[in-house]
């Protein structure tokens, strides 16, 4: 493989390396995507479950242990999302749905933090956070910042 990528792909060594890289990317992509999906659903169930338990009288749902677990799950979710973003060469300046998702994730983090305070559970922020989660999941499937409503 001398000068160009096409020369590398034409040679037997180049084809073998390209196929090997493609298998690695396919394996990495499928495993990372599956982990991202699982972590996403865990995050949703953890947040919604903690809010429901709090309203059913379980004050322990908003203590620091739940917050630490939620932070860990969400941090892994962000790392897997950024890995997929880099692997697939997405660009939030080019892909409007990704920019909308990043803004919604930021809003989700802020609203969830303030909704689940130890002393003061905020029901309006809790519902706003659930709406942001629904928007984030919808963006993941539809990949349109307007969710198909404007065109």
């Amino acid at each position: 493989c001398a000068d160009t990528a096409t020369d590398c792909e034409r040679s037997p060594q180049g084809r073998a390396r390209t196929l090997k890289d493609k298998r690695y990317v396919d394996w990495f992509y499928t495993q990372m995507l599956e982990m991202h999906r699982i972590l996403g659903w865990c995050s949703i169930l953890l947040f919604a479950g903690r809010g429901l338990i709090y309203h059913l009288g379980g004050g322990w749902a908003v203590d620091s242990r739940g917050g630490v677990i939620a932070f860990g799950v969400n941090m892994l979710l962000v790392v897997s999302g950024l890995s997929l973003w880099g692997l697939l060469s997405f660009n939030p300046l080019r892909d409007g749905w990704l920019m909308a998702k990043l803004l919604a994730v930021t809003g989700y983090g802020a609203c969830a933090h303030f909704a689940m305070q130890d002393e003061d559970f905020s029901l309006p922020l809790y519902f706003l956070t659930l709406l942001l989660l629904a928007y984030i999941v919808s963006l993941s499937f539809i990949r349109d910042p307007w969710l198909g409503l404007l065109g």
Side-chain angles (χ1 to χ4, degrees):
C1 321
D3 299 327
T4 65
T6 2
D7 291 337
C8 288
E9 290 172 2
R10 288 183 186 146
S11 72
Q13 296 85 10
R15 264 195 309 275
R17 187 179 47 203
T18 303
L19 290 174
K20 181 181 174 189
D21 292 344
K22 183 179 179 341
R23 279 185 301 206
Y24 171 73
V25 169
D26 287 346
W27 174 84
F28 181 77
Y29 170 75
T30 55
Q31 299 301 318
M32 187 62 70
L33 181 63
E34 193 62 31
M35 184 177 81
H36 190 69
R37 287 177 180 159
I38 291 169
L39 287 169
W41 285 112
C42 285
S43 177
I44 290 170
L45 292 174
L46 187 61
F47 179 76
R50 286 175 61 208
L52 182 64
I53 289 169
Y54 178 81
H55 283 291
L56 293 176
W60 56 267
V62 292
D63 70 0
S64 62
R65 292 172 294 186
V68 168
I69 293 170
F71 179 80
V73 168
N74 288 326
M75 186 56 61
L76 290 172
L77 186 61
V78 167
V79 168
S80 67
L82 291 175
S83 298
L84 288 168
W85 174 13
L87 181 67
L88 298 174
S89 300
F90 286 136
N91 183 353
L93 300 176
R94 183 187 66 228
D95 303 312
W97 68 271
L98 183 59
M99 179 61 80
K101 188 173 181 178
L102 291 174
L103 292 172
V105 166
T106 304
Y108 160 74
C111 289
H113 171 73
F114 291 114
M116 293 290 210
Q117 293 295 319
D118 288 337
E119 310 84 34
D120 186 33
F121 183 89
S122 173
L123 194 59
L125 280 178
Y126 177 74
F127 284 127
L128 178 61
T129 306
L130 289 176
L131 283 174
L132 284 171
L133 281 173
Y135 181 67
I136 291 166
V137 170
S138 299
L139 279 174
S140 299
F141 287 106
I142 297 173
R143 294 193 177 187
D144 176 17
W146 301 106
L147 302 179
L149 299 175
L150 294 180

